[in-house]
Amino acid sequence: MTDLIKMTGIGKSFAGIVALQDASLAIRPGEVHAIIGQNGAGKSTLIKILTGVYRRDAGDVQMNGTPLAITTPREAQDAGIATIYQELSLVPLRSVTENVVMGYEPRTRLGLIDWKAAHARTREILARFGVDVDVTRQLGSYSTAIQQLVAIARAVSLDAKLVIMDEATSSLDDQEIETLFSVVKGLKASGVAVLYISHFLNELYQICDRVTIMRDGQTVATHDVAETTKLGLVSEMLGRDASEIQAAGLTALSGGHGEPGEVLLEAKGLRSKSGLRDASFTIRKREIVGLGGLLGSGRTEAARAVFGLDALSDGQVRHHSGAALDTPAQAIALGMGFLTEDRKADGIIPHMSVRENITLALLPKLTRMGAVDRERERKLVAHYIEALQIKTSGMEQPIRELSGGNQQKVLLARWLALEPEILILDEPTRGVDVGAKFEIQSIIRKQVADGLAVLLISSEFEELVEGADRIVVLQDGRSVSELQNPGITEGALIGAIAHHHERSAA
Amino acid sequence: MTCAGFFRPGGHSFGVWVVLVAMILFGLLRYENFGGAYNISSFLNYNAMFIVISVGMCFVILTGGIDLSVGSVAAFTSVVAAYLSPYGIQVALPGAVMAGLAIGGLNAVFVVLMRIPPFIATLATMLGAKGGALVISGAQTISIDWELNFTKLGMEKAFNLLPWTIVITAVVVVGLWIVLERTSLGRTVLAIGGGEDASTMMGLNVNRAKIFVYVLSGGCGGMAGVFLASGFGAGQPLEGVGWELSAIASVVVGGTLLTGGMGSVGATVAGALLLGLVFNILNFENGRGVISLSAYWQMVIRGGFLFVVILLQSHLARRSKGATQ
């Protein structure tokens, strides 16, 4: 069978730094093909060459056996290659219809846009996905899941032969992912190939036929997914021995071994407008407390309430010092930190350097008589770059140039530099590649061994099960049960969540 | 969005229509000659140039850009029109508009090809066009012979119906409204303001659309220069100061986002009419002899009024949003 797309010997450098070297990729018609690899492995560069965003320095691209010369995104679209980027591929201010038909609008005989036909076509395509929305409304007024589906609708309306999905599920909940997967299966059934990029290995096994692994700008291997194991894939991605990884566990947190200390914080019967009804838990020194539950169960809300971000309508948060804890400023003064879920919106300041981003919250402490103690600042920053193995060309490099995993490490460093007693981590490894995830988890574990208390929120069961010393299971804003490590299995956690759901349904 | 008319109830530009209608009603009830043919015609005649530059500005702002040069362009092109007037309207009008398009083209080169931020680039052409107008006119108003057909633009009626100035303005407004709402180019303009990178990724011709808006705005400035020259019977190198700000105000009052991506031609026209009406009504009020406000005070009142309308606008927009969700 001829490959739909065949890329061979692709090379690309940016300002002398090699991003791709002899990379290759072959996609068959109508298959779902995954690309995996750590951040910086060259996945996005390879895809951007295919979609005309970058031009290759070397190599050959063929479509159905004939050479393909694509230099702009438009040419790629016209050739039948549609891309759904994680972000910035749609215009949220404009209507759903406009986002689907933009650039390819149906025309009336006068050459003007035929809005009636455009709306009808958009409605018809979305209906095929089981989505029924008002297509004249602003795209931005709909959920991320709908927006993703609209992006796919655009691809379908352009008669794409290949749909590239870059981290398509990273901001969707389980049910939305199900819908997305059924759409992917539908595309496949109608002969459209899908190139799927994801950090979640589980997804691969659910919908992908073949997988290509990349590392350091090169293609390592391509396998049939059915013939691979998760461990094998991870070892190929990291370039490490499988047995070595197995010994360490798939995550580096491994909870339940330390001896927790005294109670630092006690939350009792929390109730808030944000959705908490009756949540109680304690956090002790030297332990990681996980908050488990489905999306909307009140995990983030509980953390926000403890940090003084949301007002309580009932219940109380008691700090061991006896001091009041009603505002984030008080929380920080009491030695608490909160690494939020959305690092783009709440965390990094893109134009500032790594150094400035690390010491932002610390400046008051570094200031002596109105001037920042530069020497101490530099020493501190150097220490964290070293300790957290932040990959940067220097502490003055703007943070926006770092990969997602390294940005996350910088944020972690920002909080650790404050030497907190309690650190709240909301999805600390989301959108971070497997290698950096591993590193971030070991840093956290090490800090905990030194006395830090962590409140961990994660939608990955694996991270919770292996990482937390205890897991407090939340459901509809109530804490319903508590599991103790060692001994928690993914099955046990899912069971605990499901069990209470059944009971509440009955 | 299908029947996206000039009037879009419940939309983000609802407020401007409400206030416009209220002001017209107020004027009609309070002043005898407010609704008279003479007042309407002279009001539209005078405000035609502001409407035209506001609509051009609207396109630029929709892409997330800005064009500070329009006032100077109008001054420059009014001088060009005055010099060309002896050859007749058929030469002077296209000549002045071409001059405006050329300056707009220069803006496009700066902004699109050389990637200079629009604020800076158009600030430069604003100063340049201003200087150019003073140089070619010797800093004097260039008077136009009243005998020439050029000055008839604001008086002679097209098809015995309306003065040419108003007809031309209406054609420009309707034409650009169609471009924005019903053509791919117009949609691209809106998409760029909503996300330039996303538009590129979608394969839209971003550069072409951006070049278009700056050239268009220059052309609108040129048209305004023609109206200026014909209305006053002279090329006016010293006029046009602050016009760009009035135009921006009209666009914003019309509910267009300054960051781009959302807005409409109709609401911009309403915004321009509204700002003009404030002066018109104050003139009538002065005419009643009860109070007497100087031009300076009128400006202060206009500023305060602008503020109130924008507050109302955002209040209504928030409420209509709350209702649909």
Side-chain angles (χ1 to χ4, degrees):
Chain A
M1 170 163 47
T2 5
D3 289 318
L4 174 68
I5 297 285
K6 195 173 172 70
M7 301 176 81
T8 43
I10 305 292
K12 175 78 188 171
S13 310
F14 295 101
I17 297 163
V18 177
L20 286 178
Q21 199 178 8
D22 195 25
S24 59
L25 176 68
I27 304 167
R28 294 175 190 153
E31 74 166 346
V32 182
H33 193 113
I35 298 191
I36 59 171
Q38 287 188 258
N39 286 341
K43 292 169 299 186
S44 348
T45 313
L46 189 67
I47 283 152
K48 283 182 174 162
I49 285 172
L50 182 58
T51 56
V53 178
Y54 297 150
R55 287 187 202 191
R56 59 183 187 270
D57 298 338
D60 185 42
V61 182
Q62 290 187 351
M63 190 169 194
N64 291 322
T66 51
L68 194 63
I70 286 173
T71 50
T72 65
R74 174 75 187 212
E75 283 170 19
Q77 279 178 23
D78 290 341
I81 300 172
T83 316
I84 295 148
Y85 292 97
Q86 192 179 1
E87 47 209 28
L88 56 78
S89 62
L90 295 172
V91 185
L93 275 177
R94 306 309 312 170
S95 73
V96 173
T97 299
E98 280 175 76
N99 273 288
V100 171
V101 303
M102 198 120 50
Y104 303 87
E105 300 91 345
R107 303 296 176 91
T108 61
R109 265 177 309 166
L110 288 172
L112 300 175
I113 298 174
D114 185 349
W115 283 117
K116 224 168 146 185
H119 289 315
R121 195 163 84 189
T122 308
R123 243 179 248 124
E124 188 248 324
I125 297 170
L126 285 173
R128 271 192 258 158
F129 299 165
V131 176
D132 180 25
V133 296
D134 180 357
V135 295
T136 62
R137 272 182 61 185
Q138 274 185 5
L139 179 70
S141 65
Y142 293 107
S143 69
T144 319
I146 301 276
Q147 296 192 26
Q148 296 275 21
L149 292 174
V150 169
I152 298 172
R154 178 178 172 82
V156 170
S157 82
L158 300 181
D159 275 329
K161 306 277 180 302
L162 172 67
V163 175
I164 301 173
M165 301 173 79
D166 191 356
E167 293 285 335
T169 59
S170 63
S171 38
L172 305 186
D173 70 26
D174 290 346
Q175 207 179 347
E176 292 167 341
I177 290 174
E178 276 310 310
T179 315
L180 185 79
F181 282 179
S182 64
V183 170
V184 169
K185 283 170 191 155
L187 288 177
K188 185 185 152 156
S190 58
V192 177
V194 176
L195 182 59
Y196 196 84
I197 300 141
S198 175
H199 283 313
F200 300 112
L201 295 181
N202 289 337
E203 292 179 356
L204 233 87
Y205 289 95
Q206 285 181 53
I207 54 161
C208 297
D209 303 312
R210 293 200 305 156
V211 53
T212 292
I213 301 131
M214 294 191 70
R215 188 174 72 230
D216 300 331
Q218 287 175 313
T219 304
V220 179
T222 298
H223 303 290
D224 283 335
V225 170
E227 292 166 7
T228 62
T229 62
K230 222 166 154 181
L231 194 64
L233 290 179
V234 172
S235 75
E236 277 187 308
M237 267 167 81
L238 300 179
R240 290 186 210 165
D241 204 22
S243 56
E244 183 190 329
I245 294 169
Q246 196 158 32
L250 274 175
T251 73
L253 283 168
S254 60
H257 303 297
E259 193 60 31
E262 74 266 27
V263 172
L264 296 179
L265 192 104
E266 194 175 4
K268 242 185 172 168
L270 302 187
R271 194 180 173 87
S272 74
K273 273 196 185 135
S274 57
L276 293 177
R277 296 206 187 141
D278 181 13
S280 305
F281 51 91
T282 54
I283 304 170
R284 284 177 292 181
K285 209 174 165 79
R286 263 195 305 281
E287 76 166 348
I288 300 178
V289 179
L291 289 180
L294 301 174
L295 206 70
S297 60
R299 297 174 309 196
T300 298
E301 290 75 9
R304 288 175 61 92
V306 168
F307 199 64
L309 275 162
D310 292 338
L312 292 175
S313 51
D314 198 12
Q316 55 176 323
V317 179
R318 208 180 297 141
H319 189 259
H320 68 96
S321 67
L325 209 174
D326 302 315
T327 67
Q330 284 170 349
I332 291 169
L334 288 172
M336 292 174 68
F338 192 161
L339 187 63
T340 52
E341 182 181 10
D342 189 350
R343 63 173 173 266
K344 282 229 172 72
D346 306 333
I348 67 163
I349 306 197
H351 294 281
M352 284 191 169
S353 67
V354 171
R355 171 180 59 81
E356 288 166 309
N357 268 287
I358 289 180
T359 57
L360 204 59
L362 196 65
L363 281 179
K365 283 191 190 168
L366 284 172
T367 307
R368 227 181 300 152
M369 310 223 299
V372 177
D373 185 345
R374 292 284 168 206
E375 186 53 32
R376 242 184 88 200
E377 185 190 12
R378 248 187 297 274
K379 262 189 200 151
L380 201 92
V381 172
H383 165 75
Y384 280 106
I385 289 179
E386 164 75 34
L388 274 59
Q389 295 183 14
I390 299 170
K391 286 193 195 78
T392 164
S393 65
M395 63 174 75
E396 299 306 326
Q397 188 181 16
I399 191 170
R400 62 168 188 274
E401 295 174 4
L402 268 53
S403 70
N406 280 300
Q407 290 182 355
Q408 188 72 340
K409 286 192 207 165
V410 169
L411 289 182
L412 193 57
R414 180 193 289 172
W415 286 113
L416 292 178
L418 288 170
E419 296 174 350
E421 203 171 40
I422 303 170
L423 191 55
I424 302 170
L425 302 172
D426 195 354
E427 305 284 358
T429 61
R430 170 177 283 185
V432 164
D433 70 73
V434 178
K437 187 172 185 168
F438 200 77
E439 283 170 359
I440 289 172
Q441 288 167 341
S442 18
I443 295 158
I444 295 170
R445 183 41 82 184
K446 196 161 152 284
Q447 296 288 329
V448 171
D450 291 344
L452 180 72
V454 167
L455 185 64
L456 175 71
I457 300 169
S458 175
S459 43
E460 280 177 65
F461 288 145
E462 197 173 83
E463 190 166 68
L464 275 183
V465 166
E466 293 188 15
D469 298 300
R470 280 187 298 133
I471 301 177
V472 175
V473 178
L474 293 176
Q475 187 219 313
D476 294 336
R478 289 174 225 272
S479 46
V480 289
S481 64
E482 199 171 306
L483 305 171
Q484 184 79 41
N485 243 342
I488 311 177
T489 60
E490 244 178 88
L493 176 58
I494 294 168
I497 293 169
H499 176 67
H500 289 280
H501 266 280
E502 275 164 28
R503 218 169 47 181
S504 66
Chain B
M1 200 137 301
T2 25
C3 47
F6 274 35
F7 184 76
R8 200 179 298 163
H12 57 283
S13 59
F14 191 44
V16 69
W17 295 106
V18 172
V19 177
L20 186 66
V21 170
M23 282 183 75
I24 291 172
L25 285 177
F26 175 83
L28 285 174
L29 293 175
R30 191 166 167 86
Y31 314 110
E32 206 179 326
N33 297 322
F34 186 80
Y38 176 76
N39 184 47
I40 292 177
S41 163
S42 68
F43 171 78
L44 289 176
N45 236 332
Y46 176 70
N47 283 288
M49 49 199 181
F50 299 115
I51 292 172
V52 170
I53 59 168
S54 299
V55 172
M57 181 72 78
C58 175
F59 272 75
V60 178
I61 289 180
L62 282 176
T63 65
I66 197 98
D67 183 357
L68 299 178
S69 68
V70 289
S72 297
V73 169
F76 180 80
T77 54
S78 78
V79 175
V80 172
Y83 279 131
L84 292 176
S85 61
Y87 305 101
I89 184 88
Q90 56 280 11
V91 175
L93 189 146
V97 172
M98 295 282 271
L101 291 171
I103 300 174
L106 204 59
N107 280 331
V109 169
F110 289 156
V111 174
V112 182
L113 302 182
M114 295 169 71
R115 311 244 157 229
I116 298 170
F119 193 96
I120 311 287
T122 60
L123 189 64
T125 44
M126 167 185 166
L127 297 171
K130 178 97 216 161
L134 292 169
V135 168
I136 62 170
S137 65
Q140 302 293 317
T141 50
I142 307 300
S143 47
I144 299 167
D145 192 342
W146 283 101
E147 296 297 310
L148 294 170
N149 64 358
F150 183 74
T151 54
K152 303 281 192 295
L153 207 56
M155 289 180 283
E156 204 165 275
K157 288 185 176 166
F159 321 114
N160 281 328
L161 210 66
L162 283 166
W164 277 104
T165 309
I166 297 173
V167 172
I168 293 173
T169 305
V171 169
V172 169
V173 167
V174 172
L176 290 180
W177 174 67
I178 291 173
V179 168
L180 187 65
E181 298 293 338
R182 299 294 296 269
T183 70
S184 183
L185 179 62
R187 292 290 110 176
T188 306
V189 166
L190 286 162
I192 292 171
E196 195 167 329
D197 291 333
S199 306
T200 310
M201 296 291 190
M202 280 189 180
L204 302 180
N205 198 332
V206 170
N207 282 352
R208 192 187 63 180
K210 282 174 79 177
I211 290 171
F212 165 74
V213 297
Y214 286 98
V215 172
L216 171 72
S217 179
C220 286
M223 200 65 232
V226 171
F227 292 162
L228 177 66
S230 86
F232 290 85
Q236 305 268 10
L238 295 166
E239 265 295 336
V241 177
W243 285 17
E244 64 285 340
L245 299 180
S246 299
I248 294 168
S250 305
V251 173
V252 173
V253 166
T256 299
L257 292 182
L258 259 184
T259 46
M262 229 165 81
S264 80
V265 169
T268 300
V269 173
L273 289 174
L274 202 113
L275 291 178
L277 263 183
V278 177
F279 276 154
N280 193 241
I281 285 180
L282 286 174
N283 279 333
F284 271 95
E285 195 60 43
N286 274 343
R288 283 163 66 104
V290 184
I291 51 160
S292 171
L293 288 166
S294 71
Y296 305 136
W297 272 112
Q298 294 193 11
M299 233 186 263
V300 173
I301 289 175
R302 190 150 89 146
F305 192 79
L306 193 71
F307 185 67
V308 171
V309 173
I310 288 173
L311 275 186
L312 179 76
Q313 189 80 273
S314 65
H315 176 73
L316 284 175
R318 219 173 307 143
R319 232 185 37 185
S320 77
K321 206 172 176 186
T324 51
Q325 273 169 0

